[in-house]
Amino acid sequence: MALASLITFPLGMVFFMLMMAGYNKNYARTVAATSTLNNTAIEYIGGIEVIKNA
């Protein structure tokens, strides 16, 4: 049982490293998508006539 509990930390580190392997690429893609979404929302809100008259 002690050996089973000792293997969990190294195994968890291996899976964490695999999960974080493409972090920079995925983060850059997320920032670009968020920027596009924000710009689209601003254009949409700016085009609504009710908001322009307020």
Side-chain angles (χ1 to χ4, degrees), residues 1-17:
M1 194 58 113
L3 291 176
S5 67
L6 290 176
I7 195 68
T8 57
F9 184 73
L11 191 60
M13 290 301 293
V14 167
F15 283 118
F16 182 74
M17 287 170 45

Side-chain angles (χ1 to χ4, degrees), residues 37-52:
L37 178 65
N38 288 340
N39 292 337
T40 303
I42 289 170
E43 287 179 19
Y44 177 74
I45 291 171
I48 296 175
E49 294 296 326
V50 175
I51 293 176
K52 285 183 178 180

